[in-house]
Amino acid sequence: MELLEIRWHGRGGQGVVTAAKFLAEIALEQGKYFQAFPEYGPERMGAPIQAFTRISSSPIKLHCSIERPDIVLVLDSTLLSTVNVAEGLKNNGLIIVNAEQSPQEVKRSLKGIGEKKIKIFTLNATKIALETLGKPIPNIPVIGALAKATGIIDLGKVIEHIRDSFGKKFSSEIVEGNVKAVKRAFEEVKSD
Amino acid sequence: MSKALALTGNGACAFAMRQINPDVVAAYPITPQTTIVEEFSSYVADGLVDTELICVESEHSAMSSCIGASAAGVRVMTATSSQGLALMWEMLYIASGLRLPIVMHNVNRTLSAPINIHCDHSDSMGARDSGWIQIYSENAQEAYDNTIQAVRIAEDPKVRLPVMVLLDGFVISHAIDRVEVIDDEVVKSFIGDFKPIYPLLDWENPVTVGSFDGLYGYFFETKRMQAEVMERAKMVIKKVGNDYGKVSGRSYGFFEAYRLDDAEVGIIVLGSTAGTAKVVVDNLRDKGIPVGLLKLRVFRPFPLVEIVEALNHLKALAVLDRADSIGSFGGPLFTEIRSSLYDLSMRPLVVNYIYGLGGRDIDELQIMKVFSDLQDIQETGQAKKAINYLGVRE
């Protein structure tokens, strides 16, 4: 696998950094190389934040920021009107948005796409999280959507990792809630 | 047996500290060093180490406590960044003057003002004359490896000097990376037991440490000896780098020469930027352009002879400094590198690029610009401008 660069958009408190870390751990288990790094600023609960992930089958030497991502993950659809989430996205790149709207509706509200060919996926990760975990934290469901949309990670590995790593810290109810959440996200994510 | 983990740079440093199991750690939190001490504190709380963790009220006290504990005769570590290192200032010189083998992470962050928590090397470059060994890390793996080697280097009877392990703030400290760690037992036997020399707590053989020496004492001789010991540390650093290769599969020298042997132009850089620069070197090499890179790992002691030998064949050389020396002529690395080459009859044209201050991102394009400038210099045989600022808005 060539170098794949991912940019995460979310708001402080939505688990963006946790999700970027989670993805790195899954990449590790799949024998891949990775980097995950947040953009540090004056972060506060609710403020827009970004994080980045690189995944590759060979060692990653780059230590600069990601300006031209292959994939953009948006954990909060209210960011679409305030942040240019498509900025720098590569041609044939893809965007996965946690939103109630359809991919077509999201596409219409996106700015800065221009002539670029972009594939858009949406899922209501907040609803899934509320129904499976009782909390509106969309980060883990979005990983399920990423598995479906890209195939860069395997759903089975994601579930395995949730059971292994969450199993050490949380009750089986929370662990299985997360498993249910990624499975539902995998099934419910829609593309344009 | 080694295994790969997903760790931040700071996590990798804390992991190494757990394996080293120092007797005393005295530290004060400062961004971006904080998570080293935070994670190490968890190891202490979980009973995974035997360390006496002293939570002090400032970095001045942190280094003072380290000095006291080290002089008492135990293995001591700490960590800091930026303003914290600045606050330790006077104690840094005392640690080295007393030949105390303290190992400290400095997670590189700039110095205020304006207030900025991000990476540059102003903090550690300011401490370059303090008598500490300085070892820079390109990534989390090297931060881990350097930490373990630092203990052996510092404590070697031929050295007994404090060692600073440097890693770039946020870029490395807070980025999760793949890190191969070696077994606890291997680390334990690699570093060996701490052997105190003239410990204060040996009351059968009382000694005085840090006494007033006076105008007619041995101050000058002590400094001369420190210079000699620092020079002697070179062979120990080299041996430890080789020995580490035997237990980990990763050997280390004073620097890494990357595609440099047959290069016509090259750059020299410290820390994480070396990684990005390697990608640029590879891309230009694919186009048949003979460029190379020297990533300096050991800045103190300065490996003069080896550096000159590695660089003397180049036509043009760019020194990348992530620190300025305001009022001087170029950054600290530049003045030393250019001066090192002075005795050669045929020497490369050397230019300076000051970059990345306060965490300003340095990407492939900026490094490509440097190589393109170097090609111009090579072709025309002259450098238009010796000191350049890369990526600044002017």
Side-chain angles (χ1 to χ4, degrees):
Chain A
M1 186 172 84
E2 295 262 321
L3 178 66
L4 193 77
E5 297 186 314
I6 301 170
R7 185 173 69 218
W8 302 73
H9 292 275
R11 291 185 183 276
Q14 288 179 323
V16 177
V17 175
T18 307
K21 181 170 189 279
F22 184 85
L23 183 58
E25 286 166 352
I26 294 167
L28 173 73
E29 280 166 17
Q30 298 193 180
K32 294 202 163 70
Y33 292 86
F34 51 85
Q35 280 176 357
F37 49 102
E39 184 180 75
Y40 279 90
E43 60 265 36
R44 315 162 292 284
M45 190 77 90
I49 56 163
Q50 294 182 24
F52 305 91
T53 307
R54 286 190 173 102
I55 303 178
S56 174
S57 43
S58 50
I60 301 168
K61 293 172 188 161
L62 289 174
H63 288 295
C64 48
S65 181
I66 292 173
E67 303 291 339
R68 301 192 61 232
D70 301 279
I71 299 169
V72 170
L73 301 174
V74 184
L75 265 56
D76 189 321
S77 62
T78 63
L79 290 168
L80 297 175
S81 57
T82 55
V83 177
N84 181 6
V85 298
E87 190 176 9
L89 185 66
K90 279 185 190 150
N91 198 26
N92 295 317
L94 59 95
I95 304 184
I96 302 173
V97 187
N98 167 28
E100 288 173 15
Q101 300 98 305
S102 70
Q104 290 78 8
E105 283 171 303
V106 166
K107 190 166 202 165
R108 279 195 291 276
S109 66
L110 277 181
K111 292 169 217 122
I113 299 182
E115 297 298 303
K116 266 187 288 194
K117 261 193 233 154
I118 285 176
K119 208 165 170 59
I120 295 178
F121 294 80
T122 62
L123 78 156
N124 195 339
T126 306
K127 183 164 169 263
I128 293 172
L130 271 173
E131 288 172 6
T132 54
L133 305 162
K135 281 181 193 158
I137 298 185
N139 58 352
I140 299 301
V142 165
I143 302 231
L146 180 71
K148 177 69 172 286
T150 67
I152 56 165
I153 45 166
D154 177 69
L155 181 69
K157 291 271 182 198
V158 176
I159 291 169
E160 212 175 282
H161 185 71
I162 289 174
R163 290 195 171 127
D164 281 357
S165 75
F166 290 19
K168 289 174 202 152
K169 295 180 212 160
F170 302 109
S171 69
S172 65
E173 199 186 341
I174 294 176
V175 174
E176 290 311 310
N178 275 288
V179 169
K180 229 179 265 169
V182 289
K183 277 187 183 166
R184 271 190 58 185
F186 189 87
E187 284 153 19
E188 292 176 23
V189 64
K190 299 180 287 277
S191 75
D192 62 344
Chain B
M1 270 297 290
S2 66
K3 61 176 176 194
L5 299 175
L7 296 173
T8 61
N10 280 356
C13 293
F15 195 92
M17 285 173 77
R18 178 188 63 71
Q19 296 182 306
I20 291 161
N21 193 8
D23 299 299
V24 171
V25 169
Y28 187 82
I30 180 166
T31 301
Q33 156 263 35
T34 312
T35 49
I36 295 184
V37 183
E38 191 179 298
E39 291 190 29
F40 186 73
S41 302
S42 304
Y43 295 135
V44 175
D46 293 345
L48 299 176
V49 288
D50 310 305
T51 309
E52 177 79 33
L53 178 67
I54 312 175
C55 298
V56 287
E57 74 281 13
S58 76
E59 286 84 358
H60 191 281
S61 305
M63 187 47 67
S64 300
S65 305
C66 287
I67 289 169
S70 185
V74 295
R75 180 172 278 155
V76 179
M77 294 182 80
T78 185
T80 194
S81 286
S82 178
Q83 314 294 128
L85 185 67
L87 189 53
M88 284 180 181
W89 205 254
E90 55 173 337
M91 307 316 293
L92 292 179
Y93 285 73
I94 292 170
S96 60
L98 295 177
R99 305 271 306 275
L100 300 173
I102 299 163
V103 172
M104 169 165 71
H105 292 110
N106 180 67
V107 184
N108 280 115
R109 162 184 156 184
T110 195
L111 292 162
S112 301
I115 294 176
N116 181 304
I117 57 171
H118 294 279
C119 176
D120 69 36
H121 300 152
S122 307
D123 51 359
S124 54
M125 280 298 158
R128 69 187 188 274
D129 298 336
S130 64
W132 283 60
I133 290 170
Q134 288 195 348
I135 305 177
Y136 287 79
S137 321
E138 177 186 327
N139 48 36
Q141 181 71 61
E142 291 192 4
Y144 170 82
D145 293 338
N146 286 339
T147 305
I148 295 165
Q149 291 173 71
V151 174
R152 264 264 300 263
I153 295 164
E155 294 175 7
D156 190 291
K158 291 190 280 298
V159 180
R160 301 302 280 201
L161 285 176
V163 180
M164 218 180 270
V165 173
L166 295 312
L167 58 150
D168 285 350
F170 293 109
V171 182
I172 301 305
S173 69
H174 285 63
I176 299 162
D177 205 342
R178 187 179 189 279
V179 179
E180 276 183 31
V181 298
I182 51 181
D183 282 350
D184 291 2
E185 286 307 311
V186 176
V187 174
K188 200 176 166 196
S189 78
F190 184 80
I191 59 172
D193 291 332
F194 183 79
K195 294 177 197 69
I197 297 177
Y198 302 121
L200 280 176
L201 292 181
D202 177 9
W203 39 79
E204 302 286 316
N205 300 289
V207 289
T208 300
V209 171
S211 58
F212 180 66
D213 183 54
L215 185 56
Y216 303 103
Y218 291 91
F219 183 89
F220 199 172
E221 286 69 29
T222 306
K223 295 298 129 183
R224 177 70 190 87
M225 176 198 66
Q226 273 180 253
E228 191 62 32
V229 169
M230 189 58 107
E231 183 60 29
R232 209 194 291 163
K234 281 174 62 182
M235 61 179 187
V236 174
I237 293 169
K238 206 169 169 176
K239 182 171 187 311
V240 170
N242 280 330
D243 289 352
Y244 189 75
K246 287 176 202 150
V247 298
S248 69
R250 296 178 297 275
S251 329
Y252 287 86
F254 301 127
F255 49 77
E256 180 186 355
Y258 188 78
R259 307 186 83 163
L260 191 65
D261 287 353
D262 61 341
E264 290 177 5
V265 300
I267 66 175
I268 174 164
V269 69
L270 296 163
S272 64
T273 308
T276 309
K278 284 176 187 170
V279 175
V280 176
V281 167
D282 288 344
N283 291 341
L284 293 173
R285 283 275 181 173
D286 287 347
K287 291 176 190 157
I289 306 168
V291 298
L293 166 80
L294 190 145
K295 176 187 81 188
L296 188 55
R297 172 177 175 253
V298 179
F299 182 61
R300 287 291 180 267
F302 189 83
L304 174 74
V305 177
E306 294 80 2
I307 282 186
V308 171
E309 199 180 295
L311 299 175
N312 64 15
H313 66 286
L314 295 175
K315 304 276 189 300
L317 169 69
V319 181
L320 270 58
D321 263 295
R322 203 163 193 161
D324 202 351
S325 179
I326 295 168
S328 178
F329 50 100
L333 188 57
F334 171 71
T335 47
E336 296 198 9
I337 294 290
R338 197 158 71 155
S339 169
S340 338
L341 299 168
Y342 182 80
D343 289 334
L344 294 172
S345 51
M346 291 283 285
R347 52 183 175 258
L349 285 159
V350 190
V351 286
N352 189 203
Y353 291 84
I354 288 159
Y355 75 97
L357 300 190
R360 178 67 50 87
D361 192 38
I362 171 138
D363 59 12
E364 293 166 88
L365 287 176
Q366 291 178 54
I367 297 168
M368 275 178 33
K369 158 90 169 70
V370 174
F371 276 120
S372 139
D373 289 354
L374 284 174
Q375 281 180 281
D376 285 347
I377 293 169
Q378 185 193 1
E379 278 161 26
T380 60
Q382 57 178 334
K384 279 181 220 126
K385 208 172 163 196
I387 293 141
N388 306 271
Y389 288 83
L390 192 62
V392 75
R393 296 187 294 258
E394 289 194 275

